[in-house]
Amino acid sequence: MGIVNATPDSFSDGGRAEKVEDAVRLALVLRAAGADIIDIGGESTRPDAQPVSALEEQRRVIPVIEALAHHRDVVVSIDTYRAETARLAIAAGAHIVNDIWGLQRDAGIARLSAQTGCGLVAMHNGRDRDKLSDPVNDQLAYFRQTLEIARANGVADEALVLDPGFGFAKDPAENLEIIARFGELLHLGHPILVGTSRKRFLGHVTGRPVDQRDTATAVSCAILRLRGASIFRVHHVTACIDALRLADAILEMQSGFPAP
């Protein structure tokens, strides 16, 4: 999953794709590099970002999705926690909704998935709530609520992907513990998407600034692939594809079957 932030203030690439033509160009570059999904967001989710209105978010993302809809081989994900933005994005040609609040801020996103059959990524978020002291137990408790919302609103099991939300109100030790104990999340029974790309905890470990974390990102993706992750949301597609090919070769060697 290649990242296209149609924003002026995202943490590592703000302004790079703020104009529609730049966002479309970046999306096509990421697709050509091997991204299977293009994730388009119109509001920065870094901790100190200023929130934007739904109308401003839609102004940023809908024209980009409409333009990409002409490219039949581009699978588009809309990164939003607002059901109305998600509805307009699906109507414009998006295939997946990526909700950083795990359906717990706007359950309308779950209903939209049930009605349209669109894919759904539900992310764990530690912001604005009391967390359990054990980071993996907090993941499991949070996702139990998410799954209850999804099922109550008719979301198909095969449509739902979970995301542990690396970096969202998690300190470096918590992020690393989630990686170390990643297998416990597989018991939830859904594919897992991971978004470690250029995150602060990688800088904490490596000492690298945000624009020099693509190597650490690729390494983290390979580790998480070996531990069972299925989808990887990244800024630098080529490096991560190479790392994932190596991880898949190891998985195939261990099992005797191609990696799922």
Side-chain angles (χ1 to χ4, degrees):
M1 178 184 276
I3 299 169
V4 175
N5 288 317
T7 62
D9 57 344
S10 291
F11 80 99
S12 81
D13 58 356
R16 183 184 180 192
E18 188 176 0
K19 296 180 180 178
V20 172
E21 57 269 29
D22 292 336
V24 173
R25 187 180 303 112
L26 175 58
L28 296 178
V29 166
L30 294 171
R31 178 68 186 97
D36 300 291
I37 305 165
I38 303 299
D39 191 49
I40 299 170
E43 180 176 353
S44 174
T45 55
R46 61 187 173 84
D48 55 348
Q50 293 297 310
V52 302
S53 68
L55 288 177
E56 174 61 17
E57 178 189 40
Q58 293 155 17
R59 184 194 68 79
R60 293 174 180 181
V61 299
I62 300 303
V64 179
I65 296 169
E66 290 174 338
L68 290 174
H70 296 291
H71 299 268
R72 298 292 184 179
D73 66 333
V74 179
V75 176
V76 173
S77 167
I78 174 64
D79 185 349
T80 186
Y81 54 86
R82 297 181 176 99
E84 179 60 15
T85 299
R87 184 187 67 79
L88 293 172
I90 295 297
H95 309 85
I96 301 166
V97 180
N98 182 8
D99 177 10
I100 67 165
W101 287 99
L103 311 181
Q104 297 185 32
R105 179 162 286 193
D106 190 343
I109 289 178
R111 291 191 290 275
L112 179 71
S113 177
Q115 292 162 2
T116 65
C118 71
L120 185 58
V121 178
M123 194 194 81
H124 175 281
N125 200 323
R127 296 176 182 171
D128 302 330
R129 64 181 186 83
D130 294 328
K131 298 191 302 179
L132 299 177
S133 59
D134 182 296
V136 175
N137 286 344
D138 190 69
Q139 294 266 328
L140 297 173
Y142 184 95
F143 282 133
R144 278 193 286 271
Q145 289 183 264
T146 290
L147 292 173
E148 286 178 7
I149 295 168
R151 288 164 184 156
N153 286 280
V155 176
D157 281 346
E158 61 269 22
L160 186 61
V161 173
L162 304 178
D163 175 355
F166 287 103
F168 280 76
K170 301 172 184 70
D171 63 31
E174 289 172 318
N175 286 296
L176 293 172
E177 186 167 355
I178 292 166
I179 294 175
R181 297 170 57 192
F182 194 81
E184 295 177 46
L185 301 182
L186 301 179
H187 297 301
L188 292 164
H190 289 270
I192 299 181
L193 177 151
V194 292
T196 58
S197 191
R198 300 178 181 172
K199 290 291 176 71
R200 189 175 302 175
F201 82 96
L202 297 179
H204 177 83
V205 172
T206 65
R208 300 283 186 184
V210 65
D211 60 345
Q212 296 178 25
R213 296 176 189 164
D214 287 333
T215 298
T217 297
V219 172
S220 70
C221 287
I223 292 169
L224 285 160
R225 179 60 172 155
L226 292 172
R227 294 180 181 273
S230 298
I231 304 174
F232 303 82
R233 182 180 183 275
V234 299
H235 298 85
H236 193 298
V237 169
T238 305
C240 288
I241 286 177
D242 286 350
L244 292 170
R245 284 175 176 159
L246 179 59
D248 278 356
I250 293 169
L251 291 171
E252 184 174 347
M253 183 69 67
Q254 289 175 333
S255 68
F257 297 97

